[in-house]
Amino acid sequence: MIVARDLAALRQARARLPRTLALVPTMGALHAGHLALVAAARVAAGHVAASIFVNPLQFTAAADLARYPRTEEEDLAALEAAGCDLAWVPDAEAMYAPDRAATVDVAGPAEGFEGAARPGHFRGVATVCTKLFLQCRADVAVFGEKDWQQLQVIRRVVRDLDIPIAILPVPTVREEDGLALSSRNRFLTREERALAPMLAREGFAAAEALAAGGPAETTLAPARARLAEAGFGVEYLALVEAGTMRPLGRRGDAPARLVAAARLGSVRLLDNWAIPGQ
Ligand code: AMP
């Protein structure tokens, strides 16, 4: 596996990979969810690249950025073992010119939910992903459904800016008890970790109930109340149109998604669920 740390090295490495390239963008602290993306990338293209970059532009809280886990040595070993051909590991200086002036702004699916909770977050995500796509000249980019709104934002960027890349989504990888894998789960205390899978249980049950087509609030209000009672700080638990993130009062014929964010201690848990039968 080639490890590139600046653009010149990346371009040199890319020139040595003649087949199609699938890119897996990550912020490191890799877990089995990331490795499922790498496995999907291997099926989708002739070569696989993964990027590790903790993107300061997408963090709204300096404290969150400062404590974001960094495990580069283990990450590189895991990527190599998973069959990656190229690791793109720029530092902030390699990624952003000090006088950078261009960013990628997204309306529509970037509004509301994470966009409202973290102002500027999706500008940071869209900007860095656009740069990663162009830097790597990737043919395919692989994203987890775990970050559902992010996936819709990226799809819209690629469509609206005519970036020649295919976006490949991968289903959320979960712990046995249902908790969606996340690099931030390590910050849960033992008690919080024991409580955390309740979010997924409530989400799956609510998604099942919403499939019947009744008013969403009839299902979601009691679910929010149960989560709050158990100790979650529920930010949202909402039914949305799957591609646009527009809130829905009930499921219709177009694909819908149940999305959630809830705080547990110092950790914000994000999760989402398909509506069965769609
Ligand atoms: P991150 O390193 O958290 O920025 O995530 C990098 C990529 O991995 C994103 O496309 C995420 O959606 C994806 N990802 C994170 N957690 C999971 C998971 N539990 N299952 C599937 N994909 C995931």
Side-chain angles (χ1 to χ4, degrees), residues 25-28 31 33-34 37 68 142-144 146-147 150 170-173 180-181:
T26 84
M27 298 205 299
H31 50 62
H34 298 109
L37 271 52
Y68 199 84
V142 187
F143 285 87
K146 160 74 167 50
D147 300 283
Q150 168 174 281
V170 172
T172 301
V173 177
L181 265 53

Coordinates of all heavy atoms in Angstrom, one line a residue, residues 25-28 31 33-34 37 68 142-144 146-147 150 170-173 180-181, ligand 1:
P25 N -13.5 7.9 1.7 CA -13.1 9.0 2.5 C -13.4 8.7 4.0 O -14.5 8.2 4.3 CB -14.0 10.2 2.0 CG -14.6 9.7 0.7 CD -14.7 8.2 0.8
T26 N -12.4 8.9 4.9 CA -12.7 8.7 6.3 C -11.9 9.7 7.1 O -11.1 10.4 6.6 CB -12.1 7.3 6.8 OG1 -10.7 7.4 7.1 CG2 -12.3 6.2 5.8
M27 N -12.3 9.8 8.4 CA -11.5 10.6 9.3 C -10.7 9.8 10.2 O -10.2 10.2 11.3 CB -12.5 11.5 10.1 CG -13.3 12.4 9.2 SD -13.9 13.9 10.1 CE -14.9 13.1 11.3
G28 N -10.4 8.5 9.8 CA -9.6 7.6 10.6 C -10.3 7.1 11.8 O -11.5 7.1 11.9
H31 N -13.0 1.5 12.1 CA -13.7 0.3 12.7 C -14.3 -0.5 11.6 O -14.1 -0.2 10.4 CB -14.8 0.8 13.7 CG -15.7 1.8 13.2 ND1 -16.5 1.6 12.1 CD2 -15.9 3.1 13.5 CE1 -17.2 2.7 11.8 NE2 -16.9 3.6 12.7
G33 N -17.1 -0.7 10.4 CA -18.0 0.0 9.4 C -17.1 0.6 8.2 O -17.5 0.4 7.1
H34 N -16.0 1.2 8.6 CA -15.1 1.7 7.5 C -14.6 0.5 6.6 O -14.5 0.7 5.4 CB -13.9 2.4 8.1 CG -14.2 3.6 9.0 ND1 -14.1 3.6 10.3 CD2 -14.7 4.8 8.6 CE1 -14.5 4.8 10.8 NE2 -14.8 5.6 9.8
L37 N -16.8 -0.5 4.0 CA -16.8 0.4 2.8 C -15.6 0.0 1.9 O -15.7 0.0 0.7 CB -16.6 1.9 3.3 CG -17.8 2.7 3.6 CD1 -18.8 2.0 4.5 CD2 -17.5 4.1 4.1
Y68 N -11.1 14.5 18.8 CA -11.4 13.4 17.8 C -10.3 12.4 17.8 O -9.1 12.7 17.8 CB -11.6 14.0 16.4 CG -12.4 13.0 15.6 CD1 -13.8 13.0 15.6 CD2 -11.7 12.1 14.8 CE1 -14.4 12.0 14.9 CE2 -12.4 11.2 14.0 CZ -13.7 11.1 14.1 OH -14.4 10.2 13.3
V142 N -17.2 5.7 -2.0 CA -18.0 4.9 -1.1 C -18.3 5.6 0.2 O -17.4 6.1 0.8 CB -17.3 3.5 -0.9 CG1 -18.2 2.6 -0.2 CG2 -16.8 2.9 -2.2
F143 N -19.6 5.6 0.5 CA -20.1 6.3 1.7 C -21.0 5.4 2.5 O -21.8 4.6 1.9 CB -20.8 7.6 1.4 CG -19.9 8.7 0.9 CD1 -19.5 8.8 -0.4 CD2 -19.4 9.6 1.9 CE1 -18.7 9.8 -0.8 CE2 -18.5 10.6 1.5 CZ -18.2 10.7 0.1
G144 N -21.0 5.6 3.8 CA -21.9 4.8 4.7 C -23.3 5.4 4.8 O -23.4 6.6 4.9
K146 N -24.8 5.1 7.4 CA -24.8 5.6 8.8 C -25.0 7.1 8.8 O -25.7 7.6 9.7 CB -23.5 5.2 9.4 CG -23.1 6.0 10.6 CD -23.8 5.6 11.8 CE -23.3 6.0 13.2 NZ -23.0 7.4 13.2
D147 N -24.3 7.8 7.9 CA -24.5 9.3 7.9 C -25.4 9.6 6.7 O -25.0 10.1 5.6 CB -23.1 10.0 7.7 CG -22.2 9.6 8.9 OD1 -22.4 10.2 10.0 OD2 -21.4 8.7 8.8
Q150 N -25.5 13.2 5.2 CA -24.2 13.4 4.4 C -24.3 12.7 3.1 O -23.8 13.3 2.1 CB -23.1 12.9 5.3 CG -21.8 12.8 4.6 CD -20.6 12.4 5.5 OE1 -20.1 13.2 6.2 NE2 -20.2 11.1 5.4
V170 N -23.2 2.2 1.4 CA -23.1 0.9 2.1 C -23.9 0.9 3.4 O -23.9 1.9 4.1 CB -21.6 0.6 2.4 CG1 -21.4 -0.6 3.3 CG2 -20.8 0.5 1.1
P171 N -24.7 -0.2 3.6 CA -25.5 -0.2 4.8 C -24.7 -0.1 6.1 O -23.6 -0.4 6.1 CB -26.2 -1.6 4.7 CG -26.1 -2.0 3.3 CD -24.9 -1.4 2.8
T172 N -25.4 0.4 7.1 CA -24.8 0.7 8.4 C -24.4 -0.6 9.1 O -25.1 -1.6 9.1 CB -25.8 1.4 9.3 OG1 -26.2 2.6 8.7 CG2 -25.2 1.7 10.7
V173 N -23.1 -0.7 9.5 CA -22.6 -1.8 10.3 C -22.9 -1.6 11.8 O -22.6 -0.5 12.3 CB -21.1 -2.0 10.0 CG1 -20.6 -3.2 10.9 CG2 -20.9 -2.3 8.6
A180 N -25.1 1.4 16.2 CA -24.3 1.7 15.0 C -22.9 2.0 15.3 O -22.6 2.8 16.2 CB -24.9 2.9 14.2
L181 N -21.9 1.3 14.7 CA -20.5 1.6 14.9 C -20.2 3.0 14.6 O -20.7 3.6 13.6 CB -19.7 0.7 14.0 CG -19.2 -0.6 14.6 CD1 -20.3 -1.5 15.2 CD2 -18.4 -1.4 13.6
Ligands
AMP1 P1 -16.1 9.0 9.4 O1 -14.7 8.5 9.5 O2 -16.9 8.9 10.6 O3 -16.1 10.3 8.7 O4 -16.8 8.0 8.4 C1 -16.2 7.7 7.1 C2 -17.2 6.9 6.3 O5 -17.5 5.7 7.0 C3 -18.5 7.7 6.1 O6 -19.0 7.4 4.8 C4 -19.4 7.0 7.1 O7 -20.8 7.1 6.8 C5 -18.9 5.6 7.1 N1 -19.3 4.9 8.3 C6 -19.1 5.4 9.6 N2 -19.7 4.5 10.5 C7 -20.3 3.5 9.8 C8 -21.0 2.3 10.1 N3 -21.3 2.0 11.3 N4 -21.4 1.6 9.0 C9 -21.2 1.9 7.8 N5 -20.5 3.0 7.4 C10 -20.0 3.8 8.4

